[in-house]
Amino acid sequence: MDTTSTRAHDDIRTAPRALATEAVHAGRDDLARQGLHAPPIDLSTTYPSYDSRGEAARIDAFATTGAEPDGPPVYGRLGNPTVARFETALARLEGTEAAVAFASGMAALSAVLLVRGSMGLRHVVAVRPLYGCSDHLLTAGLLGSEVTWTDPAGVADALRPDTGLVLVESPANPTLAEVDLRAVAHACGSVPLLVDNTFATPVLQRPAEHGARLILHSATKYLGGHGDVLAGVVACDEEFAGRLRQVRFATGGVLHPLAGYLLLRGLSTLPVRVRAASATAAELVRRLAADPRVARVHYPRIGGAMVAFEVYGDPHEVIGAVRLITPAVSLGSVDTLIQHPASISHRIVDADDRRGSGVSDQLLRMSVGLEDVEDLWSDLDAALGPRPEGGAGKYASNHDATALAH
């Protein structure tokens, strides 16, 4: 059973590698030397040690910096070798020094807020729309934070001496609105910019290259990719990662090793899945935009597998009429999912705030999977109901910010 940290294995890589190659090999570079092909799963919660003085020294070091303990693991809440492999791989894909995994995306965001709050920096500047639960966490102040909502152009003016974080999601959930990350990062100054990169994944966008210091993923979605794992992860520099590990240890928001294994496996096919689903999504966008039953289609400039569209008829009837497409919350799975944000993912957001950020009651959000495009269109076509005579839908890409905002 492998019980070593994967940090040392980074030295194996001697030249830059393409994203598709990293997705397959990152976090696994040491396996051949161990005589292994598939990564092992370490399910231990605790680890024997006859050197209690050494254990004490390593725990003291962790308490000081949050750095991963040298040598064998100590306890499952400090870290796990299988989870560490996933963290190494995700950091490689995002182009950051480190990554820290959590039991869910919300646990990951909570840890970031706790880190900044512990430094007396409880104020957050955020841009709507965000994932509904992220919005609620900030608005309700459940972790003692205070939020100022603004548009991207107002970020600099919204900063205060106690601002600990600027938070954006691009493409945004569920309208797929995009933010100029480089411009926002510049406006942040010394305040860390956190980008929720769940929809784009590192296949389509690497926020660190645009100045973001923290990259958040609900790994439940595309990183896992099969609808069978719940997880979150923050990619960042090593100093911030140490603080996140300390919060994770103290609060217990750890990722189960089996989930870490599934996520590492999911990363190996991430580029293939995202590109294939994106091609299908683009074709569905083309058809929906020309459909008289559809009022507006939202699709980001960078592409991707997420599509949002507003219907003239009753969106609930569309949800109830699909047969191949799965009517369910979440996204990023191999099968296509559709949901009504105003009823589910963003129900917790105040109705006026929800509508003001472009989440209309007519909006449907679809996560396109790997099915054949003709089968998906046949199901959508039937679910949309009878076609009226004449007219066509309106296509709103992120080239048209005004259309996306309404």
Side-chain angles (χ1 to χ4, degrees):
M1 179 68 70
D2 168 40
T3 57
T4 60
S5 168
T6 60
R7 286 178 299 158
H9 306 147
D10 292 347
D11 297 336
I12 295 173
R13 186 179 57 165
T14 59
R17 303 192 298 206
L19 182 83
T21 303
E22 289 285 29
V24 172
H25 290 280
R28 305 169 179 83
D29 289 318
D30 64 311
L31 294 180
R33 291 188 292 106
Q34 297 189 52
L36 299 172
H37 184 234
I41 307 176
D42 188 333
L43 295 173
S44 296
T45 57
T46 192
Y47 299 86
S49 173
Y50 295 95
D51 181 11
S52 55
R53 293 185 181 88
E55 293 284 88
R58 294 199 295 144
I59 291 173
D60 286 346
F62 177 84
T64 301
T65 67
E68 293 179 289
D70 292 326
V74 178
Y75 183 57
R77 210 166 71 239
L78 272 83
N80 172 273
T82 307
V83 172
R85 288 183 179 278
F86 163 67
E87 293 171 330
T88 295
L90 193 276
R92 291 263 198 91
L93 293 183
E94 284 289 6
T96 59
E97 292 179 346
V100 182
F102 294 85
S104 70
M106 291 309 301
L109 176 57
S110 297
V112 173
L113 294 174
L114 289 171
V115 166
R116 300 304 281 168
S118 70
M119 303 169 68
L121 303 171
R122 298 183 180 277
H123 179 241
V124 178
V125 174
V127 176
R128 279 187 171 125
L130 295 175
Y131 168 53
C133 289
S134 298
D135 188 308
H136 176 67
L137 180 64
L138 295 175
T139 302
L142 295 175
L143 297 178
S145 58
E146 177 187 352
V147 62
T148 296
W149 296 102
T150 185
D151 57 33
V155 167
D157 290 338
L159 298 178
R160 305 188 326 205
D162 63 338
T163 301
L165 191 69
V166 175
L167 174 57
V168 302
E169 184 174 7
S170 183
N173 186 351
T175 65
L176 304 176
E178 292 173 282
V179 173
D180 183 337
L181 298 181
R182 192 174 300 279
V184 172
H186 178 74
C188 289
S190 62
V191 177
L193 170 62
L194 184 152
V195 175
D196 187 329
N197 203 34
T198 299
F199 277 19
T201 81
V203 177
L204 301 178
Q205 171 178 274
R206 288 157 56 106
E209 296 176 351
H210 301 284
R213 291 169 57 186
L214 306 168
I215 299 97
L216 172 71
H217 287 273
S218 172
T220 306
K221 314 305 194 294
Y222 287 104
L223 302 189
H226 293 75
D228 55 8
V229 58
L230 198 68
V233 64
V234 178
C236 54
D237 61 34
E238 177 55 36
E239 180 181 0
F240 201 92
R243 292 182 176 274
L244 288 174
R245 293 186 196 107
Q246 290 175 320
V247 168
R248 182 176 64 182
F249 172 72
T251 60
V254 297
L255 184 67
H256 191 274
L258 180 57
Y261 172 85
L262 291 173
L263 288 168
L264 186 64
R265 186 180 68 169
L267 287 186
S268 64
T269 60
L270 178 65
V272 176
R273 287 186 286 105
V274 169
R275 288 165 183 155
S278 297
T280 300
E283 174 59 20
L284 292 176
V285 164
R286 186 187 69 79
R287 300 186 189 190
L288 287 167
D291 196 298
R293 298 165 294 182
V294 176
R296 181 163 295 167
V297 182
H298 304 274
Y299 191 63
R301 181 177 57 254
I302 64 170
M306 298 300 301
V307 178
F309 58 99
E310 298 169 54
V311 295
Y312 284 114
D314 187 343
H316 300 285
E317 291 186 2
V318 178
I319 294 292
V322 293
R323 293 296 177 263
L324 174 66
I325 298 169
T326 303
V329 73
S330 198
L331 56 108
S333 184
V334 291
D335 60 320
T336 299
L337 308 177
I338 193 168
Q339 64 111 354
H340 183 239
S343 297
I344 305 180
S345 64
H346 289 71
R347 187 67 179 179
I348 202 168
V349 179
D350 177 80
D352 289 338
D353 292 336
R354 187 170 67 231
R355 297 184 186 111
S357 63
V359 186
S360 77
D361 291 342
Q362 298 302 114
L363 186 73
L364 293 168
R365 191 196 73 189
M366 185 167 63
S367 167
V368 178
L370 301 180
E371 302 95 336
D372 184 85
V373 66
E374 298 300 337
D375 291 329
L376 290 174
W377 179 247
S378 177
D379 194 38
L380 267 180
D381 186 29
L384 287 168
R387 290 174 177 266
E389 294 296 328
K394 182 175 181 181
Y395 172 50
S397 75
N398 280 353
H399 298 290
D400 184 355
T402 301
L404 275 172
H406 293 85

